[in-house]
Amino acid sequence: MAEDLYDILGVSRGATEDEIRSAFRKAAKANHPDVNPNNAGASERFKKITAANDILSDPEKRRQYDAGEIDAKGDPRRPQWNRSAGAQRGPFSARGFEGRPGATGFDDFSFSDIFSDVFGAGGGARRTTHGHRGQDLRYSLEVDFLEAVLGAKKRVTLPDGGVLDLAVPEGVTDGQTLRLKGKGTHGGPGTEPGDALVEIKIRQHPDFKRDGDDILLELPITVDEAVLGGRVEVPTPTGRVQLNIPKGTSSGKTFRLKGKGVRGKNGVHGDQRVTVKIVLPQDIDDSLSYFFSEWRQKHAYDPGRK
């Protein structure tokens, strides 16, 4: 006989929604394949726990299971006939296991609570129902700034222990959702599976910022580079390039590196905007102080202060 779904989660048939949710979280964390590598038993238990929760966390499916209308896999059962009354009923109806009318769903429950413990806050999934098709699984995936700019291959672990290989497209934006067709849960007989919807979260970069398809960078330069000019190295997402600093460059001056930004939806790259900032040496020695004191006496000027 098939295992009872309530027994798999370790709850009674009268368990509340919160009790089922708590039992599932506890069992899923303990048996997740990434927590139990090379443990086939834990992997199999995790699949059973997830399958049991898929039914018991859905009020309508739970009612159907309690009434004997579907089995532990969610497949319809053949109806039984009450010979005395001539009416159809499921195999559990004689025991009084009727569904609870008015029960509310678990649509707000998220696998992310489990994933945050196993993988950190960057991975997780929640389910969205679309009619009679399979459920969509929603994931949150963190990527580095440069991975978002240049594109990357990432791997997401699914609740059933499988993996989802994802190509993060070049130029993806923060909060953008990627849809993987047919990578959600399986629906009932004759229905199509749901999709996997992956929301991208981009980590901040210590130097680069993004403005549309442009990349912003603040570049420190020395006082002598500002006065005398020169060539300085500038980091870009694809490597360092040389930038010519003209003689007499002030802090706040912005230079544009054509095509060094993010690839836009139209396939054209934005620019990298480099704003220079003059940084004085930590130690102002006597020679530098004497030079500027002498220079100021003969070349004092007003930079526009009010």
Side-chain angles (χ1 to χ4, degrees), residues 144-158:
D144 291 334
F145 182 91
L146 294 180
E147 289 179 324
V149 172
L150 302 175
K153 300 288 187 181
K154 305 293 286 187
R155 174 165 288 186
V156 180
T157 302
L158 301 177

Side-chain angles (χ1 to χ4, degrees), residues 286-301:
D286 291 341
S287 62
L288 184 61
S289 297
Y290 177 78
F291 169 80
F292 274 106
S293 64
E294 290 292 314
W295 186 91
R296 183 168 57 184
Q297 292 180 25
K298 299 177 181 179
H299 304 283
Y301 70 103

Side-chain angles (χ1 to χ4, degrees), residues 23-97:
F24 170 65
R25 289 176 58 187
K26 181 178 179 181
K29 290 177 184 177
N31 292 278
H32 196 282
D34 283 7
V35 181
N36 301 273
N38 302 320
N39 187 335
S43 179
E44 186 62 29
R45 286 193 299 273
F46 185 81
K47 292 179 181 179
K48 290 182 179 180
I49 292 164
T50 302
N53 183 71
D54 283 343
I55 291 178
L56 298 185
S57 66
D58 185 307
E60 177 58 22
K61 289 183 179 180
R62 182 180 181 183
R63 183 200 66 75
Q64 293 174 338
Y65 177 74
D66 289 347
E69 297 173 8
I70 60 174
D71 61 19
K73 296 180 180 180
D75 296 329
R77 291 180 182 270
R78 290 184 177 180
Q80 292 186 350
W81 289 86
N82 183 332
R83 296 180 182 176
S84 60
Q88 285 187 352
R89 64 181 180 179
F92 294 113
S93 59
R95 306 183 206 173
F97 296 147

Side-chain angles (χ1 to χ4, degrees), residues 184-212:
T185 62
H186 293 288
T191 62
E192 64 178 5
D195 302 333
L197 306 176
V198 184
E199 183 180 5
I200 301 297
K201 300 293 185 182
I202 301 176
R203 302 185 189 99
Q204 291 186 347
H205 192 277
D207 300 317
F208 298 123
K209 289 181 173 54
R210 182 169 175 175
D211 181 19

